[in-house]
Structure formats: C-alpha cells, structure tokens
C-alpha cells in the first residue's frame, strides 16, 4: 500500500474519531440538560417521576457487605438495582453521598436520585457508541456517524436517560448483545459467543422481556452455519446455557427467594396483559398505537417515516448483518404490540438497531446514486436530521422550565387564603401539586393520611375516585392531566358526572402547562405518550362561582 493511500486512510480514521467524539458529546449534553428535574426539595420529598422511588426504595434495602442480596422486589430484573447499590456504596464509602435517616432529608435523598440518573446517562452515551460500532460494521464510518448522532438526539431515548429507571441500562445491554451477534456472524469464535451469551443474560436480568434479544445471536449462528457449513446447534445450546447462568447470577431471586420472584414475575405478566387502569383502554391495536403515538412523538414524524422505509427495504438487501438487526426489531415490535400496556419506554431496545438500519439506508442511497442523486440524498437527510435535532432540543430544554405542579403550588399559596377547602378527583400522587411533601409515597392510604396532616388548607380527598360529594364541600378543585384526559377519552361515567358538575358550579381560574419550543420555533404539545408526560402534566385550578 502506497504512502499516499496510508495517509488518506489515517485522515479518514482521524475524522471518524472527531465525528464519534462529537456524537458522544451531543449524547451527553442531551441527557445531562435538565438532569435535576423533579428531584426532591423542600416542597416535595419524593421524585416527580412515579417509578423512581420504587427502584430507589428497594435498592436501599440491599447491603452487599453484610450479604443482603435480596431486594424483595422482582417486578424488574435486579441488575440495575445492584448497579445502583454499588454506586451508592462507593459514594457513601468515600463521602460523596450521605445515606439519609429520613425521607425529609431531601438534599441527601436528591443526591441518591442523581446517582441513579447518572447511571442512566452513562448507559445512554455508551449505547450511542455501540450504535456507532454497529453502523460501522454495516456501512462504514458514514453509517456509524449518522446512527450515533440520531440516537444521541431522539427524544424517546434522551428523556428516558434522565430517569432512575431500568430502561436505559437494559437498552445498553440489548445493543451490546446485537453488536456481539454481528461479530459472532462475521468472525465466529468463542469470544463472540461468550460475549453475546453474557449480554443476553444481562439484558434479561435488567428487564425480563429484553431476553428476546437472544434471537439475534441464534440467528447469527444459523446464518454463519449456512455460509461456512459449520455446526450451529451445539453452539446455540451453549449460548442458551451461558445466558441462563448469567441471568441466575445477577438476578438470583429465582433461587434466592423463588416464592417472591415468581409472585412478582406473574404480577408483571398479568399487568402487561390486562392493562394499566384507563391509560390504554380503547387505544386500538398495540402495533398501531406504538407506531402513531409512541414512535411519532419519540422520533418525530420525518425520522419515523424514513425509519419505516428502512424497515421495508432492509430485508430486500439479503445482507446477513442487516437481516439480523431487522429480525430483532420486527420480532420485538410485534411482541410489544401484543401487550395491553403500551408505554413508550418499552420500545427503547429497538431504537439503536432501527436507527442503524436508517443510517444504513442513507449510506446505501448515497453509494448507489450519482451527483444529482447524492445532492437529493444529502438534502433530505440534512432536513430530517435538522428537524429531529430541533424537536429533540425542544423536548429536552423543557426540563429546565418550571414544573407545572410547582407553578400551580406557588399560585395556590399566593392566591388562596389559609383554610380554603381544596378538593381533588382522586387521591393525590406524583401528578398533583405537592401541598404535602409526602405525596410521592406509594400507598394511596398513606397519601390520603398525609393530606389530613396538612394544616395550611383543608384538603378534601375522595374515598372513591370522582366522588361528586367532594364538589359540594370544596371551594377550589385541582385537577391534573393524568386524571382527566384518559377519563374523558374513554367516557368514564363517574368522571363525566364529576366534570359536568364542576363546569356547572366552578370556573377555571388558572392553568399551568408546557409547550415544546426551542428558539423561536414552537412545536406545541399534543399526544404526548403517558410515560413521557411525567415532566409535563397540565394542571388546572377551578374555583366556585
């Protein structure tokens, strides 16, 4: 190879490192902006995200130095709880964190939340790097750069990397398993087999349904066996065995506390089959809902349409590594669409391979066209990336705005005299202005009891949801979008009766909401997926006429 050729290759490699560094820096920025949203303070002692205290609370029950490995909680796999416990253990050992004796020590508690959120940020950035590596194998550095940058900015991934939840970490492991599967197909070998096996086990030990990523290394083994006439069934059995052992080591509830493990596992299985209250009632087919509600918001419509095109074209390529990613995305999507529970975060594991396939399509379109065609490819790609960047920025920057619940709380304290009778449609929770700092507690009975402890106002908490009797006593009513929108959509009879009486006897005097905007561009706020609405609920205050 000539010196000039080597110099050109070195230049391309150096440029690629700059692109990778830029993509990872963008990913970190999009995930760190607003990272303190909703963490405990003097106004609320719990996070405004309803799932974070569940995970943190059970994590605080672990104690590795004293041999306590059983969190007594197996709705999710335990790996994320173990990682969070290790981070807290290290932080408290070196004095970076203080373990609180009481939930009212909100500064210490907030630091624990930020520790868990930090794990999600790191997982998100590392996932972008893995997307780069997958893209590089499919289509070179151009494909790698586009895939990593798109994943760095899409709201569905960036928002959920802000939370102390299992989703970003599970996505890291599933993406790692997919990358290992590509290596397994390309090179074979014991190292790739073990890596893919371990990563499948780690995925399942973080979120159980992520075990479905095991289809990728199995497919890689089968495709490689067809090309190289290698035996694959024995390797597939080893893969399954190594994955199972990994799962049992890092999610030991199966043998450590089997009764509790299977109770929680069965509960979660029933939950996804039967639904989540009114949230997903009458929302049609799950596959359509995920596409038009969750992915349209989570990617933005232009990128969603381009990604759809990539899924239609990918199987026509007959390239094995493309097929491996395509089969996983399609299988996982079909699996999720069969659930009655349709949270957007369930889709996170398909985002990296889906965006890699999208980047691959862009790269192939560029490679297979001439000058005019390349101008068109560049223009369309640039427009979609720009729109996605602006949309992603608008969503993330909103985390820096005052939370509607806290705005409503400030308005109430400035405009309502002490002793005012304030009514609610349901038992207050994370979605309610925190007139009690303890309303993040998990048990409804405890939250109702906390309401009775408030001295500043007389809080009227219904014994049954949408109790019209509350309106007969209340001077002011406070409603949250989480309470109202689904009840109206499904025409829930008690809610409609409550709201009819509310409109007859009260008038709305204040409303607090969020609009997604960046610079002078306003995107509005409609059809936000339920689990992406946690930072942005509309709050209404009604006063008796």
């Amino acid at each position: 190879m000539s010196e000039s050729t080597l110099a050109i290759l070195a230049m391309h490699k150096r440029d690629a490192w700059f692109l990778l560094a830029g993509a990872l820096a963008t990913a970190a920025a999009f995930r760190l902006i607003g990272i303190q949203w909703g963490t405990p303070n003097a106004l609320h002692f719990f996070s405004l995200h309803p799932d974070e205290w569940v995970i943190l609370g059970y994590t605080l029950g672990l104690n590795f130095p004293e041999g306590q490995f059983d969190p007594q909680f197996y709705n999710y796999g335990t790996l994320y709880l173990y990682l969070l416990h290790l981070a807290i253990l290290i932080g408290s050992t070196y004095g970076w964190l203080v373990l609180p004796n009481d939930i009212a020590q909100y500064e210490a508690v907030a630091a624990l939340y930020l520790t868990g959120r930090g794990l999600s940020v790191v997982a998100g950035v590392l996932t972008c790097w893995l997307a780069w590596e997958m893209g590089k194998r499919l289509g070179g550095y151009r494909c790698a750069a586009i895939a990593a940058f798109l994943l760095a900015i899409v709201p569905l991934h960036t928002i959920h990397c802000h939370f102390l939840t299992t989703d970003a970490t599970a996505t890291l492991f599933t993406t790692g398993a997919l990358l290992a599967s590509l290596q397994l197909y390309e090179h074979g070998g014991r190292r790739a087999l073990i890596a893919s096996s371990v990563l499948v086990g780690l995925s399942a030990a973080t979120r159980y349904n992520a075990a479905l990523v095991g289809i990728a290394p199995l497919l890689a083994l089968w495709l490689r066996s067809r090309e190289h006439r290698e035996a694959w069934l024995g390797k597939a059995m080893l893969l399954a065995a190594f994955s199972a052992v990994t799962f049992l080591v890092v999610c030991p509830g199966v043998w450590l506390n089997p009764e509790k493990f299977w109770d929680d596992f069965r509960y979660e299985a029933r939950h996804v089959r039967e639904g989540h209250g009114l949230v997903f009632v009458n929302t049609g087919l799950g596959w359509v809902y995920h596409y038009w509600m969750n992915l349209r918001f989570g990617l933005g419509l232009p990128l969603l349409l381009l990604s759809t095109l990539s899924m239609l074209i990918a199987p026509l390529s007959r390239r094995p590594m493309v097929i491996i990613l395509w089969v996983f995305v399609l299988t996982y999507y079909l699996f999720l669409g069969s659930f009655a529970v349709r949270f957007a975060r369930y889709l996170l594991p398909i985002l990296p391979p889906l965006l890699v396939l999208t980047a691959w399509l862009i790269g192939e379109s560029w490679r297979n066209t001439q000058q005019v065609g390349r101008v068109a490819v560049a223009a369309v790609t640039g427009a979609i990336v720009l729109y996605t960047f602006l949309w992603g920025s608008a969503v993330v920057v909103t985390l820096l705005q005052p939370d509607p619940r806290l705005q409503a709380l400030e308005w109430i304290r400035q405009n309502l005299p002490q002793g005012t009778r304030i009514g609610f449609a349901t038992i207050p929770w994370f979605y309610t202005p925190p007139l009690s700092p303890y309303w993040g507690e998990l048990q409804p009975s405890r939250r109702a009891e906390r309401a009775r402890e408030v001295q500043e106002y007389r809080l009227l908490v219904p014994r049954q949801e949408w109790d019209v009797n509350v309106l007969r006593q209340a001077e002011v009513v406070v409603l949250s979008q989480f309470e109202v929108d689904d009840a109206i959509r499904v025409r829930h009879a008690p809610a409609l009766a409550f709201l009819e009486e509310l409109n007859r006897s009260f008038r709305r005097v204040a409303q607090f909401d969020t609009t997604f905007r960046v610079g002078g561009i306003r995107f509005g706020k409609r059809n936000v997926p339920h689990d992406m609405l946690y930072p942005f609920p509309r709050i209404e205050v009604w006063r008796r006429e």
Side-chain angles (χ1 to χ4, degrees), residues 240-279:
F242 286 146
S243 298
V245 169
T246 302
F247 176 82
L248 292 172
V249 169
V250 293
C251 187
V254 181
W255 51 270
L256 193 64
N257 190 347
E259 183 177 357
K260 179 62 175 171
F261 175 86
W262 289 112
D263 281 348
D264 288 356
F265 186 89
R266 283 190 289 266
Y267 166 82
E268 200 62 29
R270 285 195 307 272
H271 175 226
V272 298
R273 287 198 313 270
E274 296 173 1
H276 191 79
L278 299 178
V279 176

Short mmCIF file of all heavy atoms in Angstrom, two decimals, residues 240-279:
data_model
loop_
_atom_site.label_atom_id
_atom_site.label_comp_id
_atom_site.label_asym_id
_atom_site.label_seq_id
_atom_site.Cartn_x
_atom_site.Cartn_y
_atom_site.Cartn_z
N ALA A 240 -27.47 -20.55 25.02
CA ALA A 240 -28.61 -20.54 25.94
C ALA A 240 -28.17 -20.83 27.37
O ALA A 240 -28.64 -20.20 28.33
CB ALA A 240 -29.66 -21.56 25.49
N ALA A 241 -27.23 -21.78 27.53
CA ALA A 241 -26.77 -22.14 28.86
C ALA A 241 -26.01 -20.99 29.51
O ALA A 241 -26.24 -20.65 30.68
CB ALA A 241 -25.88 -23.38 28.78
N PHE A 242 -25.09 -20.36 28.77
CA PHE A 242 -24.31 -19.24 29.32
C PHE A 242 -25.24 -18.07 29.67
O PHE A 242 -25.05 -17.39 30.68
CB PHE A 242 -23.24 -18.78 28.33
CG PHE A 242 -22.06 -19.70 28.24
CD1 PHE A 242 -21.40 -19.89 27.03
CD2 PHE A 242 -21.60 -20.39 29.34
CE1 PHE A 242 -20.32 -20.74 26.93
CE2 PHE A 242 -20.51 -21.24 29.25
CZ PHE A 242 -19.86 -21.42 28.05
N SER A 243 -26.24 -17.82 28.82
CA SER A 243 -27.18 -16.74 29.10
C SER A 243 -27.96 -17.01 30.37
O SER A 243 -28.15 -16.11 31.21
CB SER A 243 -28.16 -16.57 27.92
OG SER A 243 -27.48 -16.23 26.74
N ALA A 244 -28.42 -18.25 30.54
CA ALA A 244 -29.18 -18.62 31.73
C ALA A 244 -28.34 -18.49 32.99
O ALA A 244 -28.81 -17.98 34.02
CB ALA A 244 -29.72 -20.04 31.59
N VAL A 245 -27.08 -18.94 32.92
CA VAL A 245 -26.19 -18.84 34.09
C VAL A 245 -25.96 -17.38 34.46
O VAL A 245 -26.01 -17.00 35.63
CB VAL A 245 -24.85 -19.56 33.81
CG1 VAL A 245 -23.83 -19.23 34.89
CG2 VAL A 245 -25.07 -21.06 33.74
N THR A 246 -25.71 -16.54 33.44
CA THR A 246 -25.52 -15.11 33.71
C THR A 246 -26.75 -14.51 34.38
O THR A 246 -26.64 -13.76 35.36
CB THR A 246 -25.24 -14.36 32.38
OG1 THR A 246 -24.08 -14.91 31.76
CG2 THR A 246 -25.03 -12.88 32.65
N PHE A 247 -27.92 -14.85 33.86
CA PHE A 247 -29.16 -14.35 34.45
C PHE A 247 -29.30 -14.78 35.91
O PHE A 247 -29.63 -13.96 36.78
CB PHE A 247 -30.36 -14.86 33.64
CG PHE A 247 -31.69 -14.46 34.22
CD1 PHE A 247 -32.24 -13.22 33.98
CD2 PHE A 247 -32.40 -15.35 35.02
CE1 PHE A 247 -33.46 -12.85 34.52
CE2 PHE A 247 -33.62 -15.00 35.57
CZ PHE A 247 -34.15 -13.75 35.31
N LEU A 248 -29.03 -16.02 36.19
CA LEU A 248 -29.19 -16.55 37.56
C LEU A 248 -28.18 -15.94 38.52
O LEU A 248 -28.46 -15.82 39.72
CB LEU A 248 -29.04 -18.07 37.55
CG LEU A 248 -30.17 -18.83 36.85
CD1 LEU A 248 -29.83 -20.30 36.73
CD2 LEU A 248 -31.49 -18.63 37.57
N VAL A 249 -27.02 -15.53 38.02
CA VAL A 249 -26.01 -14.92 38.89
C VAL A 249 -26.39 -13.50 39.26
O VAL A 249 -26.30 -13.09 40.43
CB VAL A 249 -24.62 -14.96 38.21
CG1 VAL A 249 -23.62 -14.09 38.98
CG2 VAL A 249 -24.11 -16.39 38.13
N VAL A 250 -26.83 -12.70 38.29
CA VAL A 250 -27.09 -11.28 38.55
C VAL A 250 -28.56 -10.99 38.84
O VAL A 250 -28.91 -9.86 39.18
CB VAL A 250 -26.59 -10.40 37.38
CG1 VAL A 250 -25.08 -10.45 37.28
CG2 VAL A 250 -27.22 -10.81 36.07
N CYS A 251 -29.42 -12.00 38.70
CA CYS A 251 -30.81 -11.87 39.14
C CYS A 251 -31.15 -13.12 39.94
O CYS A 251 -31.90 -14.00 39.49
CB CYS A 251 -31.75 -11.72 37.94
SG CYS A 251 -33.46 -11.37 38.40
N PRO A 252 -30.58 -13.25 41.15
CA PRO A 252 -30.62 -14.51 41.88
C PRO A 252 -31.94 -14.80 42.59
O PRO A 252 -32.05 -15.80 43.30
CB PRO A 252 -29.49 -14.35 42.90
CG PRO A 252 -29.45 -12.88 43.18
CD PRO A 252 -29.79 -12.22 41.86
N GLY A 253 -32.94 -13.94 42.40
CA GLY A 253 -34.21 -14.18 43.07
C GLY A 253 -34.82 -15.51 42.73
O GLY A 253 -35.57 -16.08 43.53
N VAL A 254 -34.52 -16.05 41.53
CA VAL A 254 -35.08 -17.33 41.11
C VAL A 254 -34.74 -18.42 42.12
O VAL A 254 -35.56 -19.29 42.41
CB VAL A 254 -34.54 -17.71 39.71
CG1 VAL A 254 -35.13 -19.03 39.25
CG2 VAL A 254 -34.85 -16.61 38.71
N TRP A 255 -33.54 -18.37 42.67
CA TRP A 255 -33.14 -19.39 43.65
C TRP A 255 -32.96 -18.83 45.05
O TRP A 255 -33.03 -19.56 46.03
CB TRP A 255 -31.83 -20.07 43.21
CG TRP A 255 -30.70 -19.12 42.86
CD1 TRP A 255 -30.43 -18.59 41.64
CD2 TRP A 255 -29.70 -18.61 43.74
NE1 TRP A 255 -29.34 -17.76 41.69
CE2 TRP A 255 -28.86 -17.77 42.99
CE3 TRP A 255 -29.44 -18.78 45.10
CZ2 TRP A 255 -27.78 -17.09 43.53
CZ3 TRP A 255 -28.35 -18.11 45.64
CH2 TRP A 255 -27.53 -17.28 44.86
N LEU A 256 -32.79 -17.49 45.16
CA LEU A 256 -32.60 -16.88 46.47
C LEU A 256 -33.93 -16.71 47.21
O LEU A 256 -34.02 -16.93 48.42
CB LEU A 256 -31.90 -15.53 46.30
CG LEU A 256 -31.32 -14.85 47.54
CD1 LEU A 256 -30.19 -15.70 48.14
CD2 LEU A 256 -30.79 -13.46 47.17
N ASN A 257 -34.94 -16.31 46.47
CA ASN A 257 -36.28 -16.09 47.04
C ASN A 257 -37.31 -16.45 45.98
O ASN A 257 -38.01 -15.59 45.45
CB ASN A 257 -36.42 -14.62 47.47
CG ASN A 257 -37.67 -14.37 48.29
OD1 ASN A 257 -38.57 -15.21 48.37
ND2 ASN A 257 -37.77 -13.20 48.90
N PRO A 258 -37.42 -17.75 45.65
CA PRO A 258 -38.25 -18.14 44.50
C PRO A 258 -39.72 -17.77 44.64
O PRO A 258 -40.37 -17.41 43.66
CB PRO A 258 -38.05 -19.66 44.43
CG PRO A 258 -37.53 -20.06 45.77
CD PRO A 258 -36.75 -18.89 46.28
N GLU A 259 -40.27 -17.84 45.85
CA GLU A 259 -41.69 -17.52 46.01
C GLU A 259 -41.97 -16.07 45.66
O GLU A 259 -42.91 -15.76 44.91
CB GLU A 259 -42.12 -17.80 47.46
CG GLU A 259 -43.60 -17.56 47.69
CD GLU A 259 -44.03 -17.91 49.11
OE1 GLU A 259 -43.19 -18.39 49.90
OE2 GLU A 259 -45.22 -17.68 49.43
N LYS A 260 -41.15 -15.16 46.17
CA LYS A 260 -41.34 -13.74 45.88
C LYS A 260 -41.03 -13.45 44.41
O LYS A 260 -41.75 -12.66 43.78
CB LYS A 260 -40.41 -12.91 46.79
CG LYS A 260 -40.49 -11.40 46.57
CD LYS A 260 -41.88 -10.85 46.85
CE LYS A 260 -41.89 -9.33 46.74
NZ LYS A 260 -43.27 -8.78 46.79
N PHE A 261 -40.00 -14.08 43.88
CA PHE A 261 -39.65 -13.85 42.47
C PHE A 261 -40.82 -14.20 41.57
O PHE A 261 -41.22 -13.39 40.72
CB PHE A 261 -38.42 -14.68 42.09
CG PHE A 261 -38.08 -14.59 40.62
CD1 PHE A 261 -37.29 -13.56 40.14
CD2 PHE A 261 -38.60 -15.51 39.71
CE1 PHE A 261 -37.00 -13.47 38.78
CE2 PHE A 261 -38.31 -15.43 38.36
CZ PHE A 261 -37.51 -14.40 37.89
N TRP A 262 -41.38 -15.40 41.73
CA TRP A 262 -42.45 -15.82 40.83
C TRP A 262 -43.74 -15.05 41.07
O TRP A 262 -44.51 -14.81 40.12
CB TRP A 262 -42.66 -17.32 40.93
CG TRP A 262 -41.51 -18.08 40.33
CD1 TRP A 262 -40.60 -18.86 40.97
CD2 TRP A 262 -41.14 -18.10 38.94
NE1 TRP A 262 -39.68 -19.35 40.09
CE2 TRP A 262 -39.99 -18.91 38.83
CE3 TRP A 262 -41.67 -17.51 37.79
CZ2 TRP A 262 -39.36 -19.15 37.60
CZ3 TRP A 262 -41.03 -17.74 36.57
CH2 TRP A 262 -39.90 -18.56 36.49
N ASP A 263 -44.00 -14.63 42.30
CA ASP A 263 -45.17 -13.78 42.56
C ASP A 263 -45.06 -12.47 41.79
O ASP A 263 -46.01 -12.04 41.13
CB ASP A 263 -45.30 -13.50 44.06
CG ASP A 263 -45.90 -14.66 44.83
OD1 ASP A 263 -46.43 -15.59 44.18
OD2 ASP A 263 -45.84 -14.63 46.08
N ASP A 264 -43.90 -11.83 41.89
CA ASP A 264 -43.69 -10.55 41.20
C ASP A 264 -43.66 -10.72 39.69
O ASP A 264 -44.19 -9.88 38.95
CB ASP A 264 -42.40 -9.88 41.68
CG ASP A 264 -42.52 -9.33 43.09
OD1 ASP A 264 -43.62 -9.39 43.66
OD2 ASP A 264 -41.51 -8.84 43.63
N PHE A 265 -43.03 -11.79 39.24
CA PHE A 265 -42.96 -12.05 37.80
C PHE A 265 -44.36 -12.26 37.23
O PHE A 265 -44.72 -11.70 36.18
CB PHE A 265 -42.08 -13.28 37.54
CG PHE A 265 -41.82 -13.55 36.09
CD1 PHE A 265 -40.75 -12.97 35.44
CD2 PHE A 265 -42.67 -14.38 35.36
CE1 PHE A 265 -40.51 -13.22 34.10
CE2 PHE A 265 -42.44 -14.63 34.02
CZ PHE A 265 -41.36 -14.06 33.38
N ARG A 266 -45.18 -13.07 37.93
CA ARG A 266 -46.55 -13.30 37.47
C ARG A 266 -47.38 -12.02 37.52
O ARG A 266 -48.22 -11.78 36.64
CB ARG A 266 -47.21 -14.42 38.29
CG ARG A 266 -46.74 -15.81 37.91
CD ARG A 266 -47.59 -16.88 38.59
NE ARG A 266 -47.33 -16.92 40.03
CZ ARG A 266 -46.45 -17.75 40.60
NH1 ARG A 266 -45.76 -18.59 39.86
NH2 ARG A 266 -46.29 -17.75 41.90
N TYR A 267 -47.16 -11.21 38.56
CA TYR A 267 -47.88 -9.93 38.63
C TYR A 267 -47.56 -9.07 37.41
O TYR A 267 -48.47 -8.49 36.79
CB TYR A 267 -47.50 -9.18 39.91
CG TYR A 267 -47.94 -7.73 39.88
CD1 TYR A 267 -49.24 -7.38 40.20
CD2 TYR A 267 -47.06 -6.72 39.48
CE1 TYR A 267 -49.67 -6.06 40.15
CE2 TYR A 267 -47.47 -5.40 39.43
CZ TYR A 267 -48.78 -5.07 39.76
OH TYR A 267 -49.18 -3.76 39.68
N GLU A 268 -46.29 -8.96 37.06
CA GLU A 268 -45.90 -8.13 35.93
C GLU A 268 -46.45 -8.70 34.62
O GLU A 268 -46.87 -7.94 33.73
CB GLU A 268 -44.37 -8.02 35.86
CG GLU A 268 -43.85 -6.84 35.07
CD GLU A 268 -44.27 -5.50 35.65
OE1 GLU A 268 -44.47 -5.39 36.88
OE2 GLU A 268 -44.41 -4.54 34.87
N ALA A 269 -46.46 -10.03 34.51
CA ALA A 269 -47.02 -10.65 33.30
C ALA A 269 -48.51 -10.35 33.18
O ALA A 269 -49.03 -10.06 32.09
CB ALA A 269 -46.78 -12.15 33.34
N ARG A 270 -49.24 -10.41 34.32
CA ARG A 270 -50.67 -10.06 34.30
C ARG A 270 -50.86 -8.59 33.96
O ARG A 270 -51.78 -8.22 33.22
CB ARG A 270 -51.31 -10.35 35.66
CG ARG A 270 -51.57 -11.82 35.94
CD ARG A 270 -52.53 -11.97 37.12
NE ARG A 270 -52.08 -11.23 38.30
CZ ARG A 270 -51.25 -11.71 39.22
NH1 ARG A 270 -50.75 -12.94 39.09
NH2 ARG A 270 -50.91 -10.98 40.26
N HIS A 271 -50.01 -7.76 34.52
CA HIS A 271 -50.13 -6.31 34.31
C HIS A 271 -50.06 -5.97 32.83
O HIS A 271 -50.91 -5.22 32.32
CB HIS A 271 -49.01 -5.61 35.08
CG HIS A 271 -48.94 -4.14 34.86
ND1 HIS A 271 -47.75 -3.48 34.60
CD2 HIS A 271 -49.89 -3.19 34.83
CE1 HIS A 271 -47.99 -2.20 34.44
NE2 HIS A 271 -49.28 -1.99 34.57
N VAL A 272 -49.07 -6.50 32.11
CA VAL A 272 -48.94 -6.14 30.70
C VAL A 272 -50.05 -6.75 29.85
O VAL A 272 -50.37 -6.23 28.78
CB VAL A 272 -47.55 -6.53 30.15
CG1 VAL A 272 -46.44 -5.78 30.88
CG2 VAL A 272 -47.32 -8.03 30.22
N ARG A 273 -50.66 -7.84 30.34
CA ARG A 273 -51.76 -8.46 29.60
C ARG A 273 -53.09 -7.75 29.84
O ARG A 273 -53.90 -7.60 28.93
CB ARG A 273 -51.92 -9.93 29.98
CG ARG A 273 -50.89 -10.88 29.46
CD ARG A 273 -51.39 -12.33 29.53
NE ARG A 273 -51.99 -12.65 30.83
CZ ARG A 273 -51.32 -13.14 31.87
NH1 ARG A 273 -50.03 -13.34 31.77
NH2 ARG A 273 -51.95 -13.41 33.00
N GLU A 274 -53.29 -7.29 31.09
CA GLU A 274 -54.62 -6.80 31.48
C GLU A 274 -54.76 -5.29 31.36
O GLU A 274 -55.89 -4.79 31.27
CB GLU A 274 -54.91 -7.24 32.91
CG GLU A 274 -54.99 -8.76 33.06
CD GLU A 274 -55.12 -9.21 34.50
OE1 GLU A 274 -55.16 -8.31 35.39
OE2 GLU A 274 -55.16 -10.42 34.75
N GLY A 275 -53.67 -4.55 31.38
CA GLY A 275 -53.76 -3.11 31.20
C GLY A 275 -53.34 -2.32 32.43
O GLY A 275 -53.00 -2.87 33.47
N HIS A 276 -53.39 -0.99 32.28
CA HIS A 276 -52.90 -0.07 33.30
C HIS A 276 -53.99 0.96 33.58
O HIS A 276 -53.91 2.11 33.14
CB HIS A 276 -51.62 0.61 32.76
CG HIS A 276 -50.86 1.38 33.80
ND1 HIS A 276 -50.03 0.79 34.71
CD2 HIS A 276 -50.79 2.71 34.06
CE1 HIS A 276 -49.48 1.70 35.48
NE2 HIS A 276 -49.93 2.88 35.11
N GLY A 277 -55.01 0.52 34.32
CA GLY A 277 -56.12 1.43 34.58
C GLY A 277 -56.81 1.82 33.28
O GLY A 277 -57.06 0.99 32.41
N LEU A 278 -57.09 3.13 33.14
CA LEU A 278 -57.75 3.63 31.94
C LEU A 278 -56.77 4.04 30.85
O LEU A 278 -57.19 4.39 29.74
CB LEU A 278 -58.62 4.85 32.29
CG LEU A 278 -59.76 4.64 33.28
CD1 LEU A 278 -60.48 5.96 33.54
CD2 LEU A 278 -60.75 3.59 32.77
N VAL A 279 -55.47 3.99 31.15
CA VAL A 279 -54.48 4.64 30.29
C VAL A 279 -54.54 4.13 28.85
O VAL A 279 -54.51 4.91 27.90
CB VAL A 279 -53.06 4.47 30.87
CG1 VAL A 279 -52.02 5.06 29.92
CG2 VAL A 279 -52.97 5.15 32.23
#
